[in-house]
């Protein structure tokens, strides 16, 4: 996998994480301005995750048919539009619709980017490239809250518009730097239609355990992300900048682990032991 495609994929992954994390320190204050509270913030968090979960298989299957690059591009430009709509939201329900759209389209880029790495990487390089994508996501998660907290000092909507602009730049770079991967990956054979026996074998096979692990980890992580901002604002009276610093510190640890430890440890002790 040459440097240009992996750079473009890192950028796309970073943008998705940046757009998501930009609003973490802003949302408690944004919700307050709209007359909403913790319950409504929980709905926003849930609908984003639900949209990603439901739509990810669809985007993955579509990327098998028409290619990875178109799906990544659709996800990036759509995500830019959804962030712009979030900045324009004047009620909870417009915010809810925009957040739903954001979850639907962000899953397109995430799924197709991972599939692209699988297409283009050798077995020896796959873990390293995957961990680099994870590190790019962590960089976005680290930069986003701090940047969002600073920009929110000018306007609570400013972080959303900034994320939309960054996403549009990433869309242009994806179009110019990222070649299609499927035609070079040996995946030109016709795929059989998906049926429920395939789903059963996935759930009750070894992949099922991996899916359960993903569910547990993201269930806990989403709950933490959804409530932390409200908690520190209510209990300690934190500003948007201070909330951003909390998320930046947490993401910094993720960067060290995913960017510098995962690849070497996978080679040294094996992926199964590393998961454990």
């Amino acid at each position: 996998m040459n440097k240009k495609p992996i750079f473009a994929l890192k950028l796309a992954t970073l943008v998705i994480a940046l757009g998501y994390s930009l609003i973490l320190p802003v949302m408690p204050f944004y919700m307050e301005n709209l007359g909403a509270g913790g319950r409504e913030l929980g709905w926003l968090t849930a609908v984003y995750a639900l949209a990603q979960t439901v739509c990810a298989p669809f985007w993955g299957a579509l990327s098998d048919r028409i290619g990875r690059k178109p799906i990544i591009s659709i996800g990036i430009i759509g995500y830019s539009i959804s962030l712009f709509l979030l900045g324009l939201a004047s009620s909870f329900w417009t915010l809810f619709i925009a957040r739903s759209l954001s979850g639907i389209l962000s899953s397109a880029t995430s799924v197709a980017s991972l599939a692209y790495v699988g297409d283009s990487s050798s077995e020896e390089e796959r873990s390293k490239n995957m961990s680099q994508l994870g590190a790019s996501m962590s960089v976005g998660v680290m930069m986003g809250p701090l940047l969002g907290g600073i920009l929110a000092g000018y306007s609570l909507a400013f972080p959303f518009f900034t994320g939309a602009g960054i996403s549009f730049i990433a869309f242009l770079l994806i179009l110019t730097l990222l070649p299609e991967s499927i035609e070079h990956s040996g995946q030109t054979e016709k795929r059989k239609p998906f049926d429920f026996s395939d789903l059963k074998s996935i759930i009750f096979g070894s992949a099922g355990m991996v899916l359960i692990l993903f569910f547990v980890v993201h269930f806990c992580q989403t709950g933490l992300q959804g409530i932390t901002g409200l908690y520190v604002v209510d209990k300690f009276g934190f500003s948007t900048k201070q909330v951003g610093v909390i998320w930046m510190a947490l993401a910094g640890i993720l960067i060290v682990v995913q960017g510098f430890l995962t690849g070497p440890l996978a080679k040294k002790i094996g992926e199964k032991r590393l998961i454990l």
Side-chain angles (χ1 to χ4, degrees):
M1 191 171 186
N2 61 53
K3 292 183 179 180
K4 281 188 177 182
I6 193 62
F7 168 76
L9 284 176
K10 285 180 182 179
L11 181 61
T13 305
L14 185 147
V15 163
I16 292 296
L18 185 65
Y20 173 77
S21 61
L22 265 172
I23 68 173
L24 288 176
V26 180
M27 286 306 294
F29 305 91
Y30 211 66
M31 299 296 292
E32 188 179 71
N33 280 2
L34 295 176
R39 179 181 299 178
E40 289 81 5
L41 183 57
W43 278 109
L44 288 182
T45 304
V47 74
Y48 181 86
L50 178 63
Q52 284 193 318
T53 302
V54 171
C55 295
F58 165 76
W59 290 120
L62 189 60
S63 74
D64 287 339
R65 294 177 56 189
I66 68 174
R68 314 302 187 199
K69 182 175 179 176
I71 300 303
I72 294 173
S73 301
I74 290 171
I76 287 286
I77 191 61
Y79 196 58
S80 175
I81 295 171
S82 67
L83 285 174
F84 186 78
L85 294 176
L86 282 167
L88 294 177
S90 57
S91 69
F92 170 74
W93 289 110
T94 54
L95 197 66
F96 184 86
I97 293 171
R99 194 61 172 158
S100 302
L101 181 63
S102 179
I104 291 170
L105 294 166
S106 66
S107 64
T109 298
S110 301
V111 169
S113 294
L114 290 174
Y116 191 103
V117 172
D119 295 337
S120 308
S121 302
S122 64
E123 187 173 347
E124 295 77 17
E125 294 182 336
R126 190 169 295 126
S127 293
K128 182 186 74 173
N129 289 332
M130 290 288 188
S131 67
Q132 286 180 352
L133 280 188
S136 297
M137 182 175 293
S138 298
V139 170
V141 173
M142 184 180 75
M143 293 171 54
L146 183 61
L147 181 60
I150 294 172
L151 294 176
Y154 301 96
S155 166
L156 288 179
F158 199 22
F160 298 98
F161 296 139
T162 301
I166 294 172
S167 298
F168 184 73
I169 293 172
F171 167 73
L172 296 178
L173 291 175
I174 288 291
L175 289 182
T176 56
L177 294 180
L178 193 71
E180 182 53 63
S181 66
I182 286 185
E183 58 187 7
H184 303 298
S185 65
Q187 298 186 20
T188 56
E189 71 274 6
K190 187 176 181 180
R191 297 173 180 269
K192 66 177 183 178
F194 183 81
D195 57 37
F196 285 101
S197 62
D198 295 327
L199 181 61
K200 183 178 178 180
S201 64
I202 290 173
I203 293 176
F204 294 100
S206 58
M209 181 57 66
V210 176
L211 293 175
I212 292 172
L213 288 173
F214 267 89
F215 173 81
V216 171
V217 169
H218 287 287
F219 180 85
C220 298
Q221 186 180 35
T222 302
L224 174 69
Q225 291 174 345
I227 201 64
T228 297
L230 282 177
Y231 176 77
V232 296
V233 170
D234 289 343
K235 188 172 181 64
F236 304 111
F238 277 15
S239 66
T240 55
K241 291 182 182 179
Q242 290 171 315
V243 176
V245 169
I246 291 176
W247 290 115
M248 185 184 70
L250 291 173
I253 297 173
L254 288 174
I255 291 173
V256 172
V257 173
Q258 292 182 324
F260 300 98
L261 298 181
T262 301
L265 285 175
K267 290 182 178 180
K268 186 173 183 179
I269 66 175
E271 293 176 345
K272 182 178 179 180
R273 290 181 179 176
L274 185 59
I275 290 172
L276 292 174

